Amino acid sequence: MRQLFSPLALLAAVPVAAALTALVRGAAGGPFWLLLIGLTTSALALAFLGGVAESRQGGRAAELRARGPRAYAPALVNSVRAVHKETGTTVFDPGDPKSVFAFDLTVVPEGRPPYRVEVHHPLDLQNLLHRTSAVVEYDPRQPWRVVVPNNPPGEWLARAQRLDPEAVRAAGGPLRAWPAGFQILAMAVVESGLLCWWLLG
């Protein structure tokens, strides 16, 4: 919940909340121009948030907590691409200092269904550009916290090499974390509801 109600999400949700409020106010008997503005800006905001979510297939991994629990797990490498480290857009020069590698992985932890996650790192760890499997380190309590260690234990490398890609893809499930853009949308709905209640109440 702290991630959902972060100050950044509260601030970023303000323009989206204003667009939704204009839409509701215009639809509830307000001026026609307010309805038009609300429709246009809400559509643009939802298209932007949808684009953010689509560009983060499976969800972006978070860093491991300093004192949190950790465990190893094998993972299937779905793809590796170079992206801009701030915007997440694909870049065509992996040597660009502003680029990082985006590892699209399906993590196969013990005792729970596989899930997909994207890990960013400036280096091609474990030579994943040329491999179909990897070893990750993750937080069992917060499984969206995933990193790719540089030198994982040999026994885990052997487990990763024995992965059946088809079986992993068939059993794979979504990442158990907030989808990209969800925080902003959720906070915008809450803020818009409060504004509508104040304006119409």
Side-chain angles (χ1 to χ4, degrees), residues 3-189:
Q3 183 185 9
L4 180 61
F5 293 102
S6 67
L8 183 60
L10 288 168
L11 185 61
V14 170
V16 182
L20 293 174
T21 303
L23 175 62
V24 172
R25 183 73 179 94
F32 183 67
W33 61 266
L34 194 59
L35 177 61
L36 291 178
I37 291 175
L39 276 171
T40 305
T41 53
S42 295
L44 289 173
L46 292 174
F48 171 74
L49 293 175
V52 170
E54 186 177 354
S55 68
R56 300 285 190 269
Q57 291 184 4
R60 169 88 178 270
E63 293 291 325
L64 291 173
R65 295 175 292 171
R67 295 189 178 124
R70 301 182 180 206
Y72 288 107
L76 183 67
V77 180
N78 300 304
S79 67
V80 180
R81 59 194 176 98
V83 299
H84 192 280
K85 61 183 173 183
E86 294 174 1
T87 64
T89 56
T90 302
V91 297
F92 299 100
D93 179 14
D96 185 338
K98 292 185 178 179
S99 70
V100 293
F101 287 103
F103 304 107
D104 181 359
L105 308 171
T106 300
V107 180
V108 188
E110 290 184 346
R112 66 174 67 212
Y115 60 92
R116 196 163 174 174
V117 67
E118 188 174 271
V119 178
H120 288 193
H121 199 279
L123 302 176
D124 178 19
L125 299 168
Q126 299 181 34
N127 195 26
L128 297 187
L129 277 169
H130 308 287
R131 299 180 61 179
T132 58
S133 62
V135 175
V136 300
E137 196 170 5
Y138 75 104
D139 185 333
R141 294 181 188 165
Q142 299 179 353
W144 62 88
R145 295 186 180 275
V146 180
V147 296
V148 178
N150 193 25
N151 294 305
E155 63 178 286
W156 286 100
L157 285 171
R159 288 190 190 192
Q161 290 172 359
R162 292 194 297 268
L163 282 179
D164 180 355
E166 295 305 318
V168 171
R169 290 190 182 99
L175 176 67
R176 295 177 183 178
W178 303 118
F182 176 80
Q183 293 171 262
I184 297 173
L185 181 59
M187 288 312 308
V189 170

